[in-house]
Amino acid sequence: MNLNATLFAQLVVFFILAWFTMKFVWPPIMKALDERASKIADGLAAADKAKTDLQLAERRATDELRKARETSNELRAGAERQGAQVLDEARAEAARIVAAARTAAEGEAAVAAQRAKEALRDQVALLAVAGAERILRKEIDAAKHADLLNQLKAEL
Amino acid sequence: MAAEHGPTASEYIVHHLTHFKSATQTSLVDWSVFHVDSLFFSTLLGLLAVFVMARAAARATSGVPGRFQAAVEILVEMVADQAKGIVHSAESRKFVAPVALTVFVWIFLMNAMDLLPLDVLPNIWASIYGAAGHDPHHAYLRVVPTADLNATLGLSLGVLLMCLYYSVKIKGLGHWMHELFTAPFGNHPVLWPINFAMQLIEFVAKTVSHGMRLFGNMYAGELIFMLIALMGAAWTGTFGSGLLWLGGVVAGSIWAIFHILIITLQAFIFMMLTLVYIGQAHESH
């Protein structure tokens, strides 16, 4: 507990150390701390901005989606309408073709029937002659009785 | 070991409480004597403190800090916050805050010397001293600079000088002189000497209590470590001495753990009082 010159030596050491700290320790660390603080602040601001941007982008995407849906609906309605029209036209065309075919077939059938009728008449005439020949047991001159036969044919 | 008798308890303690000094001191105050051990350890630890911090400062970046950098930054921010709350002058803080940081780390390290095993450094010193041809019984060494009143009063005197400097710088010499004679009781010719006496007492009390508080705590702590060491040294092979030895181990552990709190707390208190006193020098009455 003796007081001596240690006291003043300690005092001098104290100020030298304090000066050293003030010069070489304190400023770089405070600078780093301040810089980091501003960096963090910038980062937070950037994050906020990114969040706002994201919201904007989402809103725009929703708009685009809605617009696309509307367009596609329109397109589909148009296509359906057109399809129905094409179908109707095709149906009408088909009906027309069927009708024409029927008319043609009916005409052909009538012609064929007429032809068959005529062929039948000829055969019936022959048969009648053959029958008559058998019945009369006598030769009949076909040419001589052509008039008679033709008359008979017309009556059939 | 066998030839010499061991020191008695009081010899042991007196030996541990004797400084290694430049000359024998006979009077209570002798400005021609140095405590070589206190100066050696306080300077060594002070240099260690500032160079470790300077290393952190040199590598400090604003990027992601490493653990060492983060630890130093926590310390610096703690001191910076305290300084900001107490000293309301950004210009003064440029010097005062680093002073507070230096004081805190330095005193913490000096206090922490108490946690080293009591006899390690003195024994090493005794063997060196003996090898150099001196009597190893006179190889005195005290390793805790803050348990030396000269060291702590040196620090508090430094704080007093800073208080006086900032009083003049902030208030101006005239205003400060006016304040010395008119505060705390008021401006009246009869009160001037009383005011001045009060101010002088205040400065002396501040400075002495500032240094004495740290010294007293560390000196008492050191003394208790010595007593505990004596308990451990009581081992002679008997059952009772075995109990004493065990008590020494338990008490030493408890006191060392408690001392971790004390050394930190005392360093913190010294730093805070430094800031408070310098902060008061900035305030007008």
Side-chain angles (χ1 to χ4, degrees):
Chain A
M1 268 111 299
N2 302 321
L3 284 180
N4 55 36
T6 315
L7 195 153
F8 299 109
Q10 185 80 3
L11 182 67
V12 173
V13 173
F14 170 60
F15 279 114
I16 292 172
L17 292 178
W19 170 83
F20 184 90
T21 308
M22 177 191 73
K23 201 84 185 161
F24 299 109
V25 175
W26 195 265
I29 291 181
M30 285 318 264
K31 188 165 154 271
L33 288 175
D34 290 347
E35 270 173 17
R36 190 172 318 132
S38 75
K39 251 189 199 176
I40 291 171
D42 290 352
L44 288 176
D48 272 352
K49 191 177 169 293
K51 208 190 262 174
T52 323
D53 286 355
L54 181 65
Q55 275 173 351
L56 273 176
E58 268 174 1
R59 201 170 306 144
R60 208 178 303 136
T62 316
D63 279 358
E64 290 292 328
L65 213 60
R66 192 174 43 75
K67 228 176 277 171
R69 203 173 291 136
E70 278 168 9
T71 315
S72 78
N73 279 348
E74 256 168 43
L75 278 177
R76 196 195 301 144
E80 271 172 5
R81 214 177 310 124
Q82 210 171 333
Q85 199 180 330
V86 167
L87 200 62
D88 283 351
E89 279 170 9
R91 210 172 270 150
E93 175 78 7
R96 205 172 48 72
I97 289 170
V98 166
R102 188 182 294 146
T103 317
E106 275 171 1
E108 258 169 49
V111 170
Q114 191 60 34
R115 203 172 296 143
K117 227 182 255 173
E118 275 167 15
L120 208 55
R121 268 179 202 140
D122 286 351
Q123 297 230 336
V124 168
L126 286 176
L127 273 173
V129 170
E133 229 173 38
R134 277 204 204 139
I135 294 162
L136 296 176
R137 303 261 188 209
K138 98 185 190 194
E139 211 176 328
I140 294 168
D141 188 0
K144 219 169 157 179
H145 298 292
D147 285 349
L148 187 70
L149 285 171
N150 278 343
Q151 199 182 336
L152 201 63
K153 244 193 262 180
E155 276 171 23
L156 279 170
Chain B
M1 192 199 274
E4 298 172 25
H5 69 93
T8 66
S10 68
E11 277 171 1
Y12 177 80
I13 287 185
V14 166
H15 186 273
H16 270 283
L17 286 181
T18 307
H19 280 285
F20 184 69
K21 31 188 176 256
S22 58
T24 324
Q25 185 165 351
T26 47
S27 59
L28 187 63
V29 179
D30 184 348
W31 300 124
S32 65
V33 180
F34 283 98
H35 285 165
V36 179
D37 46 5
S38 291
L39 276 180
F40 174 75
F41 284 112
S42 69
T43 309
L44 187 74
L45 292 169
L47 291 178
L48 178 74
V50 293
F51 280 119
V52 165
M53 288 193 294
R55 214 172 131 69
R59 293 191 303 181
T61 62
S62 59
V64 179
R67 286 181 173 177
F68 173 59
Q69 195 195 332
V72 175
E73 282 174 4
I74 287 170
L75 198 63
V76 169
E77 270 207 298
M78 185 272 286
V79 176
D81 284 347
Q82 299 289 0
K84 202 174 277 180
I86 297 171
V87 181
H88 305 292
S89 159
E91 184 58 31
S92 300
R93 275 207 302 274
K94 278 182 188 166
F95 181 56
V96 173
V99 164
L101 177 67
T102 313
V103 157
F104 179 68
V105 179
W106 190 22
I107 291 181
F108 176 81
L109 288 177
M110 291 196 285
N111 290 353
M113 293 299 282
D114 238 356
L115 296 174
L116 289 177
L118 193 64
D119 280 308
V120 167
L121 292 177
N123 279 359
I124 293 172
W125 171 235
S127 59
I128 295 172
Y129 198 65
H134 303 286
D135 181 6
H137 287 108
H138 294 131
Y140 300 109
L141 187 72
R142 291 187 64 185
V143 299
V144 188
T146 43
D148 178 358
L149 185 59
N150 290 291
T152 59
L153 275 185
L155 292 175
S156 63
L157 208 61
V159 175
L160 175 69
L161 290 182
M162 285 178 69
C163 285
L164 300 181
Y165 169 74
Y166 281 111
S167 292
V168 174
K169 187 188 172 192
I170 300 293
K171 299 167 185 169
L173 188 60
H175 183 239
W176 183 52
M177 281 297 157
H178 180 258
E179 195 180 288
L180 278 183
F181 285 95
T182 57
F185 295 122
N187 191 357
H188 190 280
V190 179
L191 293 173
W192 288 347
I194 301 173
N195 283 330
F196 187 63
M198 287 298 289
Q199 293 274 359
L200 282 188
I201 290 170
E202 194 184 328
F203 275 117
V204 171
K206 268 184 193 172
T207 302
V208 171
S209 70
H210 198 193
M212 281 283 200
R213 178 183 297 104
L214 177 60
F215 160 74
N217 266 280
M218 300 325 294
Y219 188 81
E222 199 187 19
L223 207 56
I224 289 174
F225 273 120
M226 287 174 198
L227 295 175
I228 291 169
L230 280 176
M231 278 173 86
W235 171 256
T236 55
T238 63
F239 178 70
S241 68
L243 279 184
L244 262 182
W245 179 85
L246 195 67
V249 171
V250 173
S253 306
I254 293 173
W255 184 242
I257 292 168
F258 183 56
H259 219 60
I260 296 173
L261 174 69
I262 292 180
I263 61 176
T264 317
L265 196 64
Q266 284 303 321
F268 184 72
I269 288 173
F270 200 97
M271 179 199 85
M272 289 303 283
L273 285 176
T274 301
L275 288 173
V276 167
Y277 291 159
I278 295 174
Q280 281 175 355
H282 286 68
E283 284 156 15
S284 296
H285 286 279

